Amino acid sequence: MSPSTSPRFFTEREVARHCTTDSCWVLLGTRVYDVTAFLRMHPGGEALIRSRSGKDISRVMEGPPHRHSENARRWMEQYYIGELDRESGAHDAQVLRERRTASEQTDEKTAQNVKTVDKEDEISPFSKCSPVDLDKDLVDWRKPLAWQVGHLGEKYDAWVHQPVDRPIRLFGNPLLEAGTKTSWYWVPVVWLPIVFYVSWHCYTTMAQGNSSVHITSDFSIPIHKYSFPVFFLMGWFLWSFIEYCIHRFVFHMKPPAHNYYLITLHFLLHGQHHKSPFDGARLVFPPGLASIVVGVFYMTLHQLLPDIIGLSMFVGGLCGYVVYDMIHYYLHYGSPKKGSYLYDLKAYHVKHHFEHQRSGFGITTTFWDHPFNTVIPDEKF
């Protein structure tokens, strides 16, 4: 709801009726929020929000057990829909309906005026997106963001870590823009056949009994077929370390405020994900971009290790990558059972997005955060 729009008013009884997965409202004081779209995203699970639907959650936001961050509070404002009218009862319901009707008419006229003014600049219909104050934001959301963010300079780091719930348009060219988006199912569709084929090739090659590691010209160690799972898991473990390093040192580099190109590169690689963490089209790597990382991973192992060992570790790492992308998508859109491993991972990752952007770099595991001292403080949601 725009700051210039008159608020709508709701009775306590009306707010209390919205307590299902199809329509869930909560209160912050007298402010009414429709959090239906956030149910599956909430790190504590949708049942936790539904148990408080129609109620004032001011004390919950403050804690204990968890005090919500400023980013979480800003995020909440995107679901604001109106005000609670505590004075209205059955005797003046008609007055309330008239007030709401007048408010809706005002909203409709305002929307028509904005549509007329912005029609020429509009690239795609963002009418269903959560609101962003176009007059006060540092970028023009009606135009591609890729070439704008570099001009933010020293303001970029703070801006990119204030998340919003709306899709991002990176490029004006439709083909270029389409290349930056990927549905989650393309990751297993493209990479799992390769994982299965290379795994079968490695195992059957070892089963022939001709594979060995040559220590010297006169001495070699035979490689048994049952050693394939060991090398496979070693590759998976190696990928988990690479995953951590890429996320921490590449995706979370802090570009110099004066360097337009590094800021733009950071935004394209990962900044756009932190600005809009629930943009479902950009939660997994496009196969084209992923193939570069996969290719470098393969060539490195091929040069450093004997052929069959390097290939076995490579396919283990490739499988680890597929699992990484699937888990990352699930951490944003899934509803894991409370107390499960994925439930804890989801809470951990959401805290990384909303409060601890300089720590918590593990996605599939928090293992590497411990030796590198980047563990997010343990807090219960």
Side-chain angles (χ1 to χ4, degrees), residues 48 81 103 190 231 238 266:
L48 193 61
I81 58 173
S103 176
V190 171
F231 295 127
L238 177 60
H266 176 268

Side-chain angles (χ1 to χ4, degrees), residues 79-151:
Y79 304 115
Y80 171 73
I81 58 173
E83 296 289 330
L84 182 67
D85 193 332
R86 296 186 184 276
E87 298 179 358
S88 293
H91 64 282
D92 59 349
Q94 181 63 33
V95 175
L96 180 60
R97 284 195 294 268
E98 292 176 357
R99 184 188 302 178
R100 186 179 306 159
T101 301
S103 176
E104 291 173 350
Q105 291 175 349
T106 302
D107 292 351
E108 184 177 355
K109 291 179 180 179
T110 302
Q112 291 176 348
N113 292 336
V114 171
K115 184 176 180 181
T116 302
V117 172
D118 296 336
K119 187 175 181 180
E120 294 181 357
D121 293 332
E122 189 176 15
I123 291 176
S124 60
F126 285 150
S127 58
K128 294 184 179 180
C129 304
S130 296
V132 170
D133 193 333
L134 300 179
D135 295 325
K136 295 182 180 179
D137 203 275
L138 299 177
V139 298
D140 187 347
W141 284 86
R142 293 157 294 190
K143 298 179 181 180
L145 297 187
W147 314 126
Q148 297 185 60
V149 295
H151 296 294

Side-chain angles (χ1 to χ4, degrees), residues 150-172:
H151 296 294
L152 295 181
E154 60 185 13
K155 298 179 181 179
Y156 169 76
D157 189 66
W159 176 85
V160 82
H161 289 125
Q162 294 177 3
V164 297
D165 187 12
R166 63 179 289 141
I168 284 177
R169 175 120 193 183
L170 293 176
F171 302 104

Side-chain angles (χ1 to χ4, degrees), residues 4 24-25 43 78 84 98 100 137 146 162 170 178 198 250 256 263 276 288 306 308 313 316 326 336 353 360:
S4 60
C24 184
W25 294 5
Q78 298 177 109
L84 182 67
E98 292 176 357
R100 186 179 306 159
D137 203 275
Q162 294 177 3
L170 293 176
V198 176
V250 179
I263 291 176
S276 182
I308 197 64
M313 290 185 62
M326 294 298 92
H353 270 280

Side-chain angles (χ1 to χ4, degrees), residues 68 127 140 146 196 201 204 228 243 285:
H68 289 69
S127 58
D140 187 347
F196 293 141
H201 170 75
T204 55
F228 170 72
E243 165 199 319
F285 280 96

